[in-house]
Amino acid sequence: MKWRRFVSLPILAVLILMEMVYYGTVFIFLDDWIGLESSAGWLNAVIFTSLASLTLFSFLVCVLTDPGGVPSGYFPDIENNDGSDQESREAEALQKRCDKCSAYKPPRAHHCRVCRRCVLKMDHHCTWINNCVGQRNYKAFFLLVVYATSSSLHSLVIIVGCGIQKDWEFAGTTRLKTFYITSGAMISLLSLTLGTLLGWHIYLLTHNMTTIEYYEGTRAAWLARKSGQIYKHHYDVGVYRNVTMVLGPSMLKWLCPTALSHVKDGTSFPTVRDTL
């Protein structure tokens, strides 16, 4: 059952953190800063609640969506355009076989030691969602990072704004000051962490690259430079096409984590050679 994935301490910690940040931001700092009954307070509460809800929704989609497994009976399509003989083609096919699963795996698929299976277009296994990030839930994971970063930055603005306007000479006890400083430091650290993660996945998204492929590509790039060649990622087919293959061709559906009608079966992908 997919719901069993929620039986996890990291997932419980994430849900508790979401609840704490939401309650503190809206009902403590925002209410103390401009008041929830004011138009500005109400507007900020609606915006932050929307971002928090989208973050939670994307998180649930990440946890519950299967990242994609290799279809049973899959066999690699070995093209013979270079004049290679049958023996060399069979050797190439064996290189695409997973010894742990005792089955062939498509391009970009990798075996996850935690899930104990091969995952299509595997990016990494994420402890915080108790699931792999792969072909069918990478969009939800990317949007989770987008919404979580936006929420934490909005929360940081509210906390800082509340702290600046507060009259500390009359209302500021040592305990209250400690609470404000601790809250500001924690949300700043969270914003920095999420912002860094977002920047990293924007880079991967625009280059049509997974985390695993990035680290595999660093060695390939080093070998290419050593031999005087220029390395280019095999699946980097241009920024716009790279983005639409993950988020979808319609920009109206880019921000919806469940809009996945554009996602293919994950057994084949366009390459640089196809664009030539």
Side-chain angles (χ1 to χ4, degrees), residues 35-252:
L36 294 177
E37 296 181 358
S38 66
S39 57
W42 179 83
L43 179 60
N44 273 276
V46 169
I47 294 174
F48 186 77
T49 300
S50 299
L51 289 173
S53 299
L54 289 169
T55 301
L56 178 60
F57 179 61
S58 299
F59 177 76
L60 297 178
V61 173
C62 283
V63 175
L64 295 175
T65 302
D66 190 298
V70 179
S72 59
Y74 170 81
F75 187 84
D77 182 17
I78 307 296
E79 297 183 358
N80 189 23
N81 297 327
D82 56 357
S84 58
D85 55 20
Q86 181 65 25
E87 184 177 346
S88 63
R89 282 185 290 152
E90 291 178 355
E92 183 180 355
L94 289 174
Q95 292 178 355
K96 298 181 180 180
R97 185 176 179 85
C98 177
D99 295 332
K100 296 184 177 70
C101 295
S102 298
Y104 292 100
K105 58 183 179 181
R108 314 184 78 177
H110 293 273
H111 187 87
C112 176
R113 291 176 295 178
V114 180
C115 297
R116 297 180 180 178
R117 63 166 180 160
C118 287
V119 176
L120 297 175
K121 195 187 173 185
M122 179 177 172
D123 187 89
H124 69 289
H125 183 90
C126 182
T127 303
W128 301 106
I129 63 172
N130 196 22
N131 198 7
C132 268
V133 178
Q135 171 75 356
R136 297 202 62 83
N137 67 347
Y138 181 77
K139 178 181 179 180
F141 179 80
F142 179 78
L143 291 178
L144 168 63
V145 180
V146 170
Y147 291 133
T149 303
S150 303
S151 300
S152 61
L153 288 174
H154 191 186
S155 176
L156 179 61
V157 170
I158 291 174
I159 293 175
V160 172
C162 183
I164 291 176
Q165 65 85 35
K166 199 168 189 63
D167 190 348
W168 293 105
E169 292 185 3
F170 295 95
T173 62
T174 303
R175 183 175 297 180
L176 184 62
K177 290 180 180 178
T178 302
F179 173 71
Y180 268 74
I181 293 173
T182 303
S183 299
M186 289 180 63
I187 203 68
S188 296
L189 181 60
L190 180 62
S191 299
L192 179 62
T193 302
L194 290 172
T196 303
L197 183 62
L198 176 59
W200 167 246
H201 279 282
I202 288 176
Y203 172 83
L204 294 178
L205 177 68
T206 54
H207 289 78
N208 196 7
M209 192 181 297
T210 66
T211 299
I212 294 175
E213 289 170 348
Y214 171 82
Y215 288 109
E216 289 178 345
T218 53
R219 174 171 173 77
W222 177 77
L223 291 174
R225 288 194 302 269
K226 194 174 181 180
S227 59
Q229 299 176 345
I230 299 177
Y231 171 79
K232 183 174 176 60
H233 180 52
H234 191 55
Y235 299 102
D236 186 355
V237 291
V239 174
Y240 179 75
R241 195 175 179 190
N242 293 340
V243 171
T244 55
M245 279 194 291
V246 174
L247 301 183
S250 174
M251 295 182 67
L252 297 176

Side-chain angles (χ1 to χ4, degrees), residues 258-273:
T258 55
L260 299 173
S261 59
H262 62 283
V263 177
K264 307 300 181 183
D265 60 4
T267 59
S268 62
F269 300 90
T271 64
V272 175
R273 184 180 299 177

